[in-house]
Amino acid sequence: MIRLSVGSAALLGLSTNRMDAYPTTAYLLSGKSCRMKCAFCPQGNGDDEALKRLGRISWPEYTWDEVESALSKAESKGLKRICLQSVRHDEGIEPLIDIVKRLRKITSLPLSLSAWIGNDKEATALINAGVDKISVSIDVVNPTAFEDIKGGSQKDRLELLLNCAEKLPGKMSTHLICGLGETEFEALKMIDMLLKANVTIALFAFVPLKGTAMENLQPPPVDFYRRIQAGYYLLKHGKAGFISFEFDNERLVSFGLEEQALKDVLSDGTAFLTSGCSGCNRPYYNERPGKAIYNYHRALSKEETDQAVLQLLESLKLKIGQ
Ligand code: SF4
């Protein structure tokens, strides 16, 4: 058995659910209870109902025959990628290699994997089996918050990620969740370091989920997320350097660009789209339909772009006319 995100299942015809938006990546989830006990995630609490959820999304279970048959039509349904997520278990990477080989027989779409790996040899074996990108998820930017929320050492996971990125250029990615106690300085400094190491970054906003230890906390303010999101975009596309960013008490106050230059760079709305592996849009992973949107899963309208840019500009102390 394997789980599919409810949107992936609907797109592939395995469920009759009607969705507000459909994914451009098929999201699969393997494994049962997770050995990690991340405080923001329902997967580690062992509750059957909670196991059906990851992020805001529900994950119905299907047989492999059903999923293989559906995925063989993935490209004709407009899907651009497959993303296999796995809970942490005690069985090593062999079950993952088996799944990757099965998937490689039925689709040539690029395959992302987000799973627990212990060393670069495991990463190499998974890449050799047919994975396009492997995520070593850092999730929590602040090292002390990392220990409290995920347990273990952030330094060790970062070392593994950077070591793999050096040995497997362009093949490593990570997830960073904004709103878990980090400052904007810390978030953008880590983003800058990871970009320089050629790591693909997917930004998320923290979502308080029922059944988790963090269910009563608040999601981050949208303007906080926009500053990190825009900073990430500018760094990634070489439009500004981290050295030009200015902070007041670790809160971003300037990207070092004049207002018109910043408006021009952000005018197509791309900075506010879902980030991460190419073709990954994660519709409503962080947001409820009709509520504030952190990551747009599709191109923004002009009004949406103008609103996002205005919100960003108003929150900055801009260096106008310098
Ligand atoms: S960025 Fe998207 S496709 Fe890549 S690992 Fe994360 S969820 Fe999967």
Side-chain angles (χ1 to χ4, degrees):
M1 301 292 277
I2 189 142
R3 295 183 187 279
L4 245 69
S5 78
V6 64
S8 309
L11 182 72
L12 290 167
L14 288 172
S15 113
T16 52
N17 281 318
R18 295 196 52 175
M19 312 301 294
D20 283 307
Y22 288 90
T24 48
T25 287
Y27 301 99
L28 280 62
L29 176 61
S30 87
K32 296 211 180 287
S33 184
C34 184
R35 262 186 60 197
M36 299 290 287
K37 301 290 172 211
C38 303
F40 54 78
C41 180
Q43 290 292 317
N45 77 4
D47 169 334
D48 266 3
E49 276 310 301
L51 288 174
K52 294 177 189 161
R53 301 194 73 80
L54 183 65
R56 285 196 57 254
I57 307 296
S58 59
W59 299 76
E61 201 170 29
Y62 296 96
T63 65
W64 259 106
D65 282 351
E66 288 172 308
V67 170
E68 283 181 336
S69 160
L71 282 180
S72 63
K73 298 172 216 131
E75 279 166 86
S76 65
K77 300 272 185 181
L79 286 167
K80 298 178 181 146
R81 178 173 290 273
I82 311 283
C83 175
L84 171 64
Q85 310 195 28
S86 172
V87 298
R88 185 178 175 189
H89 48 66
D90 294 322
E91 297 154 47
I93 61 162
E94 286 316 312
L96 292 172
I97 299 255
D98 288 345
I99 296 176
V100 170
K101 286 184 176 164
R102 279 182 97 141
L103 291 171
R104 280 285 63 112
K105 282 188 189 147
I106 50 171
T107 172
S108 58
L109 285 173
L111 172 63
S112 295
L113 174 70
S114 183
W116 180 272
I117 56 163
N119 53 56
D120 61 291
K121 287 192 181 60
E122 291 185 344
T124 303
L126 287 157
I127 294 291
N128 289 341
V131 173
D132 171 53
K133 283 220 188 256
I134 300 177
S135 171
V136 171
S137 288
I138 299 300
D139 295 325
V140 186
V141 169
N142 177 281
T144 307
F146 183 101
E147 281 177 36
D148 293 344
I149 293 171
K150 282 178 76 80
S153 155
Q154 187 202 63
K155 184 169 165 281
D156 291 350
R157 294 313 285 168
L158 266 178
E159 273 176 15
L160 171 67
L161 174 60
L162 296 174
N163 180 29
C164 290
E166 199 179 327
K167 297 211 162 95
L168 298 163
K171 294 292 180 189
M172 298 307 295
S173 66
T174 195
H175 293 175
L176 298 179
I177 304 173
C178 299
L180 293 177
E182 76 287 352
T183 65
E184 293 165 41
F185 174 82
E186 288 173 316
L188 288 163
K189 190 167 174 229
M190 181 173 283
I191 287 169
D192 186 49
M193 182 272 289
L194 292 171
L195 286 172
K196 285 177 175 149
N198 198 11
V199 173
T200 299
I201 302 166
L203 274 192
F204 293 73
F206 163 62
V207 182
L209 292 174
K210 207 162 175 300
T212 68
M214 300 178 81
E215 67 177 326
N216 293 320
L217 301 186
Q218 290 299 310
V222 177
D223 68 297
F224 164 87
Y225 192 75
R226 288 277 177 262
R227 289 190 292 277
I228 297 174
Q229 195 176 34
Y232 168 34
Y233 180 81
L234 296 174
L235 292 171
K236 183 177 173 188
H237 295 280
K239 305 291 185 189
F242 182 70
I243 198 157
S244 69
F245 291 1
E246 291 176 25
F247 298 87
D248 181 358
N249 207 15
E250 305 219 348
R251 188 265 206 206
L252 189 105
V253 291
S254 171
F255 294 109
L257 296 175
E258 293 184 13
E259 180 173 7
Q260 192 55 50
L262 186 55
K263 276 183 178 169
D264 289 347
V265 173
L266 301 176
S267 63
D268 66 0
T270 314
F272 311 111
L273 295 175
T274 300
S275 52
C277 306
S278 63
C280 172
N281 68 339
R282 306 190 297 273
Y284 300 116
Y285 208 90
N286 284 172
E287 42 276 304
R288 293 194 170 84
K291 301 277 182 199
I293 294 186
Y294 294 95
N295 295 319
Y296 282 86
H297 60 271
R298 40 103 189 129
L300 285 76
S301 67
K302 179 159 183 335
E303 291 71 33
E304 288 168 335
T305 303
D306 289 348
Q307 189 196 21
V309 173
L310 185 67
Q311 188 167 35
L312 179 69
L313 293 177
E314 283 180 346
S315 77
L316 290 173
K317 186 185 79 187
L318 283 165
K319 298 171 95 182
I320 299 168
Q322 290 184 9

